Amino acid sequence: MELIIDRNEVKAAEASVDLCRNDEIAQWHFIRWDAFQEQFRQLWPAAGKSSLPRLQALQSQLEQGEILVDNEVPEPGTILVPLLYQSQLQGVLQGFSKNGPVGPNCLRKMQPRFGLLSRAWYLVGLLEEKERQAYVDRLTKLYNVEYLVHFLEGELARCQRFSREMAVAFLDVDWFKNVNDAHGHLMGSHVLRELGGLLRSAIRESDVAVRYGGDEFVVVLTETGRREALDAANRLRRRIQEHSFGGKLGKEIHITASIGVAIYPQHGADASDLIHRADLAMYVAKHQERKNAVELAIE
């Protein structure tokens, strides 16, 4: 039962395989239900010859707890086991027979274990959600400072190992107090929430946007050198400048931001150095007469 309190999904997957060990099954795969449709082709490797139903019917049968066996595809035979807990489908176990069709004895031997696996994966999901919430800023839904440190340490280790560059952009909204004074703090919070969504949509999947505190944000740009980082920071600055905030609430609020950029390894070798250097560069940008600027850290 250690896997129930273990937050490591890999260990849970390994435990799933151990619990499902069977003489007739050569290999098991666990597929999360939220990824089911995307990975359906893996569940249904030979659609033209398979006896399994189409996606919609298959989903319905799995949600009803039906274990499906397909022995009509070319070897190996396939078994699909729904892992249900409290009537919610947590995922699907897909097994491939060692040789020939999957027999009824396999199901009889395995049946008592499926309930344990369903509960275990349900608890793993709860722990993952709790951990995710601990790393997410409630207002903007961006990551928070705790996650920033965690992510930067891992990314820096990777950059050091493979001799790669990366960049940290420190962003501060210009004159944000004026937004609160003119429109109230609730509207100010709405602007920050909307800004969080804008930052999330403006960066690459490999990058990370973080609410550092108040109206300050940090964006980590992976595998990015000096020129590319400055270009990316200027694109962010322009998108913020051109965006009209509060439209859903009948407002038209415009803000600007000043951004400082620091590059690994030129401006620092650890997370605190890079954040500090980017922060200093941001203050240089902010104290320029026009603000709304991007500044590179001094070497």
Side-chain angles (χ1 to χ4, degrees), residues 127-177:
L127 289 168
E128 287 178 346
E129 177 61 18
K130 184 176 180 181
E131 185 174 78
R132 188 192 70 81
Q133 290 178 357
Y135 282 134
V136 173
D137 175 64
R138 283 188 174 186
L139 177 64
T140 63
K141 306 306 180 189
L142 298 178
Y143 288 111
N144 59 22
V145 176
E146 287 77 9
Y147 184 82
L148 171 64
V149 173
H150 173 78
F151 180 81
L152 269 177
E153 287 175 350
E155 190 62 24
L156 284 167
R158 193 178 68 83
C159 288
Q160 290 164 6
R161 181 178 181 184
F162 297 107
S163 300
R164 304 287 175 82
E165 290 183 303
M166 63 167 291
V168 171
F170 200 109
L171 181 155
D172 184 272
V173 179
D174 298 324
W175 303 113
F176 188 70
K177 182 177 181 298

Side-chain angles (χ1 to χ4, degrees), residues 25-44:
I25 303 297
Q27 193 174 34
W28 288 100
H29 293 292
F30 175 81
I31 301 178
R32 280 191 178 280
W33 184 240
D34 55 13
F36 176 77
Q37 294 190 42
E38 292 80 0
Q39 299 190 33
F40 181 61
R41 292 185 184 280
Q42 296 180 30
L43 290 172
W44 197 13

Side-chain angles (χ1 to χ4, degrees), residues 176-187:
F176 188 70
K177 182 177 181 298
N178 292 349
V179 175
N180 287 329
D181 291 346
H183 303 281
H185 287 273
L186 285 178
M187 182 55 67

Side-chain angles (χ1 to χ4, degrees), residues 217-232:
F217 299 81
V218 170
V219 176
V220 180
L221 302 165
T222 60
E223 303 217 10
T224 302
R226 171 177 176 157
R227 185 69 266 157
E228 296 90 347
L230 290 173
D231 288 344

